[in-house]
Amino acid sequence: MTLSNGTSDGTIRWGILGTGFIAGLQTRDLNENGFTVQAVGSRSLESSKAFAELHGVMTAHGSYEDLVADPMVDVVYIATPHPFHHGNALLALNAGKHVLVEKAFTMNAREAQEIVDLAESKGLVALEAMWTRFLPHMVRIRELLQEGAIGEVRKVVASHNQSLPKDPAHRLNDPALGGGALLDLGIYPISFAFDILGAPETIRASASMTATGVDRQTAAIFEYSGGRQALVDCELDAASANRAMVIGTEGWIDIEHTWYNPVPFTVFGVDGTVVERYDQPVKSRGMQFQAAEMERLIRAGESAGSILPPGESVAIMAAMDEIRRQIGLRYDADTVVSEEGAKK
């Protein structure tokens, strides 16, 4: 069975699609926690072999097609840049493989819905790799909110600001590769807002752009019934403490520096007294927990879990579509070619 502490018995076999930095982080966490990494696939056999040697992966494939066709692979982790998630996920699903797809799940809600629909039609799992959702401190925060530990939740505040490469040709600054702060960094606080408050009724967004035409920094206010709000922001050329708060009528939860990592948090009463201090370090980076949830869903024959159901991943992409509409950020994926060949 898959254990609740983020480990595996190793009977479900993983394939890694892509050999970049994030693929390495996920593979290391899989290896360190008993998961079976069966194969890796890259567009280059040389790159695939190098990745396999570095991480002790049994089989190296020189194409994504070969990886998803491997009969020894049960689930494919997709770690390519955003614009390729949609095509890579459809490729794996059509080969009968479950998919764990890096966030942002896709480029837009249309692509996300197509992945979810195909997975459902084939009885397969399509899970977004928003690893923060599955970390133990986030599990505890949801428990506290359900218990009413801070009263009625009124506001969520979350930031994700980093000083990242300034090279205009870098993936993060290239619109052809889904560049910009929103998809890479903003996805974290936006997903957090959805986790705590659900889908907003209205969104107000503002941004400043880079010379290459992607968002350098973006901020948004999510508005909900009863006057509740989420304040989210992201930036790719200036760093911050990256803390998050959940504010309620009877207190607040303060999540410490790099809140989206496995970090401590403190629950304060309305008078500022400490109600609870959570500080439980986890093994590895923490990406094994999303993999454990993936295996749990597969074993249970379920297509959706309660922590991050696929429909919510679609809704998150729709919210990001609306933010992009307001700030004037478009990608090639937003242009749909109809059956007649006309662009929309």
Side-chain angles (χ1 to χ4, degrees), residues 159-163 185 218 233-236 238-242 260:
S159 296
H160 192 180
N161 305 309
Q162 295 193 38
S163 182
L185 307 180
T218 296
D233 68 275
C234 57
E235 182 163 355
L236 53 68
S240 74
N242 292 329
Y260 42 84

Side-chain angles (χ1 to χ4, degrees), residues 64 107 115 305:
Y64 300 150
M107 294 296 290
I115 291 173

Side-chain angles (χ1 to χ4, degrees), residues 104-166:
F105 193 55
T106 51
M107 294 296 290
N108 54 41
R110 175 186 58 80
E111 289 187 343
Q113 190 65 61
E114 288 177 3
I115 291 173
V116 171
D117 288 346
L118 181 60
E120 183 176 358
S121 72
K122 291 184 172 293
L124 297 167
V125 180
L127 180 66
E128 181 183 358
M130 174 43 75
W131 66 296
T132 302
R133 285 278 185 113
F134 306 94
L135 292 173
H137 74 300
M138 289 296 170
V139 174
R140 179 55 184 154
I141 286 171
R142 285 191 290 269
E143 290 174 349
L144 286 164
L145 296 178
Q146 188 171 21
E147 294 165 5
I150 60 169
E152 178 190 347
V153 175
R154 290 287 178 82
K155 187 181 296 183
V156 170
V157 182
S159 296
H160 192 180
N161 305 309
Q162 295 193 38
S163 182
L164 299 172
K166 311 298 191 293

